[in-house]
Amino acid sequence: QVQLVESGGGLVQAGGSLRLSCAASGRTFSTYSMGWFRQVPGKEREFVVAIRWIGGDIYYADSVKGRFTISSDNAKATLYLQMNSLKPEDTAVYYCAAGPLGVFLKSTSQIAYWGQGTQVTVSS
């Protein structure tokens, strides 16, 4: 089992940047595939980015490609999401997610563990 705790959300103006962190505890960080999702009230949780340690593959949603960057510090068991050129439509609760190793976590049905979420609000 793994526990995920996000931090780093907040209020930022359009065009600004934020970096989210996801601290993992429990089982070894690298034994899971990891990713970030986001959710707006009244809508389904949507995929943002996923990383698969095997092969080091990364997959971004088209809506964030070129603006968001996922990275990790395995020694600290922490996943990061650097968000640049933020837009009002990026406003959402952002969730860190973990799932089976070797799987690209692009669907909520693949997720084994969720963090509690962190609010990101982008003002126009």
Side-chain angles (χ1 to χ4, degrees):
Q1 193 169 0
V2 65
Q3 293 78 44
L4 306 172
V5 179
E6 301 97 333
S7 61
L11 173 64
V12 64
Q13 288 188 331
S17 299
L18 283 174
R19 188 177 80 157
L20 306 184
S21 300
C22 171
S25 61
R27 288 189 63 182
T28 305
F29 185 64
S30 59
T31 60
Y32 294 93
S33 287
M34 305 288 294
W36 290 92
F37 286 72
R38 64 188 182 185
Q39 189 170 24
V40 175
K43 293 189 176 181
E44 293 187 354
R45 198 167 294 186
E46 67 173 10
F47 165 76
V48 175
V49 59
I51 186 166
R52 188 169 59 183
W53 306 122
I54 297 175
D57 299 324
I58 298 173
Y59 187 86
Y60 293 93
D62 288 342
S63 58
V64 305
K65 199 173 297 182
R67 301 186 298 120
F68 290 13
T69 304
I70 191 172
S71 63
S72 68
D73 184 335
N74 286 4
K76 296 182 179 180
T78 300
L79 188 73
Y80 301 101
L81 181 65
Q82 178 66 44
M83 306 186 295
N84 298 329
S85 302
L86 283 162
K87 304 175 182 179
E89 52 263 42
D90 294 317
T91 295
V93 177
Y94 284 72
Y95 294 91
C96 180
L101 189 65
V103 175
F104 259 134
L105 303 179
K106 295 192 288 182
S107 169
T108 57
S109 64
Q110 299 170 306
I111 306 305
Y113 302 101
W114 293 102
Q116 85 287 354
T118 185
Q119 176 71 47
V120 171
T121 303
V122 183
S123 63
S124 57

